[in-house]
Amino acid sequence: MATYKKRGYKPKTQKEKTEVIEENSTTAEVFNTLDESASKTEDWISNNQNIILSVVGAIALGVLGYLGYDKFIAEPKAQEAMNEMYTAQKYFDEAVTSEAKDSLYNLALNGAEGKFGMVDIASEYSSTPAGNLANYYAGMAYLNTKDYTNAVKYLSEFRTDDPVLGPIAKGGVADAFVQLNQLDDALDYYEQAISASTNDYTTPMYLFKAGNVANKLGQKDKALDYFERIKTDFSDSDQAKNIDVFIGRAEASKS
């Protein structure tokens, strides 16, 4: 039976601290399930795919621009790789908004219409910018189709200095490790994603995920540090909306 607590009431026992934290959350469901859903790859893909595609598209255009000069002649293999990638990229982009996601991602991975898929492009043209980018596409396609081992393999091979796509690739590896229940590896890659770039989009997202994984691993101090950084440095982010709940939970678990 719930009891009324006056304004300004300070909990004394561990049980009372827990009750206050739960009562201050938006709902009990938020408190009990938000940290679980935060790690689900499917939600992450759905919420962020448009931004990801725009960044990848910009990189692809940059590659094409680069090839438009003397390298177009000097490195015909690079141009050939971009030509091969066009069809596979089309299938990947269609998969993002289609109901037939798995079949389209598989076409992006394995090829169609006489063109290579991302897997073959990454292998056959590994020395080219397109071959590198194919590692990202292949990794994300495998992540979407729940082939987490191959997601780790291909995303780990992708190299970029882009301040958004770099952290997203690292975070994708971490998401796959979460699904494989390799939480130590997941935390390592979330931390790599955090350190790769500081921005208002990827940093609070991976701080939040890192905090939840650290908490599951029993690393309460680290979890609290990550949650408090969200509150301090990224107060306008989506992750900050209920962050006091997670801060309070981490503090209570340390008592």
Side-chain angles (χ1 to χ4, degrees), residues 132-188:
N132 179 49
L133 193 57
N135 283 313
Y136 174 83
Y137 277 115
M140 295 306 292
Y142 279 125
L143 196 61
N144 273 277
T145 54
K146 300 181 175 60
D147 185 342
Y148 301 118
T149 300
N150 273 320
V152 169
K153 173 184 175 181
Y154 283 93
L155 287 174
S156 297
E157 291 294 320
F158 177 60
R159 299 289 182 268
T160 183
D161 293 326
D162 186 87
V164 174
L165 203 60
I168 287 174
K170 297 290 187 185
V173 175
D175 286 341
F177 275 132
V178 167
Q179 300 301 325
L180 292 168
N181 200 33
Q182 296 178 224
L183 297 186
D184 287 310
D185 292 318
L187 182 57
D188 177 50

Side-chain angles (χ1 to χ4, degrees), residues 213-224:
V213 172
N215 191 55
K216 291 176 184 177
L217 289 170
Q219 300 179 26
K220 307 300 182 181
D221 288 332
K222 183 175 284 190
L224 183 58

